[in-house]
Amino acid sequence: MRPALDKILHGDITIGEGGQLIAQTPSGQRTFIVGQTPQGDWGVGIGREDGTAALTVGDDVNEDAQMIRMWSRDRNAPDRILMMDDANSDRFLGRPWIPFPMYPTANFAMQSTTSWQYAWIGRMPAQNAVAILDFSSIASTGGQVRINYVPPSGTAQTLATWTLPANTWVNKSFTQPLHEAEWGDHVLFQIEHRNSASTGAIETRMFNAYTRNTFTTGEAPTMPTRKAAVAAAPAAFEANLATTNESPVEPGLRRVDE
């Protein structure tokens, strides 16, 4: 067009009904895209000059997810996501994965005791949606091990209990969604063990503990029961404001104490 319309001084630009606004380098590398994506949702994409993705909002197969993702600039791994929220659980961080601190007690290796004793305990604010714990136990005369999950409500849930044969290492790996937790709520894991006989000795060793994003919709943690009440509170508050009759205020100056 003559003259070129290359400035918007006042007003908005609207991209609607399936369009996109695209900025690209002379070589054709797209560095900015906003509008309806090829996946069908509406999102924003920011790319690097070399063509690798940097930051995206949306562009998901699941149009409802609208994930925020920060991408690696490694051209050999262009699909590597460094930071993101969780596709299947709205309230949790997806990446990075976070270490879950598990600490040994004085009884992580013990003799003679046949009653349940804590071997490892860990507590932290929930970050990702799913916890992974890998550990192994051995007992000279046989024994038992169990693992408990304690959600923010404080009621311990035994996830599993198993028996150890004599003098045999038994490896266990648990994948546990952080049910009933919000992001930032403290959750707790407890690993307990005991000897089958008073002459025995038992030991449990922790190898790995961290939290990660969900891989499937089935791994999404259940919502805490208090969530419904909290979510309803703002609507109720706004409804109360709408029905409140305000007294008319006369214009003009007033005393400070009036």
Side-chain angles (χ1 to χ4, degrees), residues 26-208:
S27 62
Q29 302 294 354
R30 296 183 175 186
T31 59
F32 178 78
I33 304 173
V34 60
Q36 189 172 27
T37 72
Q39 301 293 351
D41 64 340
W42 290 77
V44 178
I46 299 175
R48 301 181 179 89
E49 189 176 6
D50 64 357
T52 58
L55 180 69
T56 58
V57 180
D59 194 17
D60 301 320
V61 175
N62 178 4
E63 295 183 19
D64 295 333
Q66 285 282 283
M67 294 173 62
I68 298 177
R69 291 173 286 189
M70 181 181 293
W71 302 80
S72 167
R73 67 173 183 268
D74 184 356
R75 293 185 63 86
N76 295 320
D79 58 346
R80 181 177 297 159
I81 303 171
L82 303 179
M83 297 182 65
M84 69 181 188
D85 46 5
D86 196 296
N88 301 304
S89 189
D90 297 343
R91 59 194 190 276
F92 285 104
L93 173 69
R95 294 184 187 175
W97 297 355
I98 306 295
F100 195 104
M102 293 292 291
Y103 300 101
T105 71
N107 293 317
F108 84 97
M110 65 182 188
Q111 296 179 339
S112 305
T113 306
T114 57
S115 61
W116 287 110
Q117 301 293 326
Y118 293 120
W120 293 78
I121 295 178
R123 183 174 184 265
M124 71 170 285
Q127 301 293 321
N128 306 112
V130 179
I132 306 295
L133 297 116
D134 300 319
F135 53 95
S136 186
S137 302
I138 190 171
S140 61
T141 59
Q144 283 187 304
V145 184
R146 68 186 179 190
I147 180 171
N148 304 320
Y149 167 65
V150 185
S153 64
T155 303
Q157 305 169 7
T158 298
L159 304 180
T161 302
W162 59 99
T163 299
L164 305 177
N167 290 317
T168 302
W169 285 102
V170 175
N171 301 317
K172 290 290 182 178
S173 180
F174 283 89
T175 300
Q176 176 61 30
L178 302 184
H179 293 310
E180 303 177 31
E182 295 280 8
W183 180 91
D185 285 347
H186 281 79
V187 294
L188 173 68
F189 283 96
Q190 305 163 331
I191 299 174
E192 299 177 85
H193 60 191
R194 65 181 180 182
N195 288 294
S196 296
S198 59
T199 56
I202 191 170
E203 179 181 351
T204 296
R205 299 179 182 178
M206 175 65 63
F207 298 129
N208 204 13

